[in-house]
């Protein structure tokens, strides 16, 4: 019904920057929340950031709040995550996700749609 496709991951040194993109296609929703999660092997999927598809409200994981910025381009059906001052502990597979309502925005299981993930690796 809704397809999400992440891109922009790669290998960077600590202190570097990356911008992730998430392109939505299919019968996309015009309201709700879009977010970014990340996961490393053996660990639970972790909330990173989220934004309402309309309005200005955003949410961030505390450890990335001063370094990452989530944004959107509604006309292009695209979500972005600008990541600055990357640290080795940011290394993970990053997933784009969407949900139709405005509840439980930091909970992975609350989301309705997921992308395939893009690898981000930060070397020390």
């Amino acid at each position: 019904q809704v397809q999400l496709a992440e891109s922009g991951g790669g290998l960077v040194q600590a202190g570097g920057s990356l911008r992730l993109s998430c392109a939505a296609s299919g019968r996309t929703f015009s309201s709700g929340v879009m977010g970014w999660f990340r996961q490393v092997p053996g660990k639970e999927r972790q909330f990173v950031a989220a934004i309402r598809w309309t309005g200005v409200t955003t949410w961030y994981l505390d450890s990335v709040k001063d370094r990452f910025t989530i944004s959107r381009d509604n006309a292009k059906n695209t979500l972005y995550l600008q990541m600055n001052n990357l640290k080795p502990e940011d290394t993970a597979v990053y997933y784009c996700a969407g949900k139709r309502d405005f509840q439980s925005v930091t909970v992975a299981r609350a989301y309705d749609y997921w992308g395939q993930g893009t690898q981000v690796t930060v070397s020390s």
Side-chain angles (χ1 to χ4, degrees), residues 14 38 40 46 63-64 67 86-92 94 122:
R38 65 189 184 187
V40 299
Q46 181 183 47
S63 63
V64 309
R67 300 182 293 119
L86 283 160
K87 302 176 180 180
E89 50 263 45
D90 296 316
T91 295
Y94 282 71
V122 184

Side-chain angles (χ1 to χ4, degrees), residues 12-56:
V12 298
Q13 289 189 327
S17 298
L18 285 173
R19 188 180 74 162
L20 305 183
S21 298
C22 172
S25 61
R27 293 183 291 277
T28 56
F29 40 80
S30 58
S31 62
V33 175
M34 298 289 291
W36 291 95
F37 290 77
R38 65 189 184 187
Q39 189 168 30
V40 299
K43 301 294 184 181
E44 295 183 358
R45 192 164 296 187
Q46 181 183 47
F47 169 78
V48 177
I51 186 171
R52 290 179 62 138
W53 199 242
T54 59
V56 297

Side-chain angles (χ1 to χ4, degrees), residues 71-92:
S71 62
R72 63 174 190 261
D73 186 332
N74 296 68
K76 297 180 179 179
N77 290 323
T78 301
L79 180 74
Y80 303 97
L81 184 68
Q82 178 67 47
M83 304 185 294
N84 297 325
N85 191 24
L86 283 160
K87 302 176 180 180
E89 50 263 45
D90 296 316
T91 295

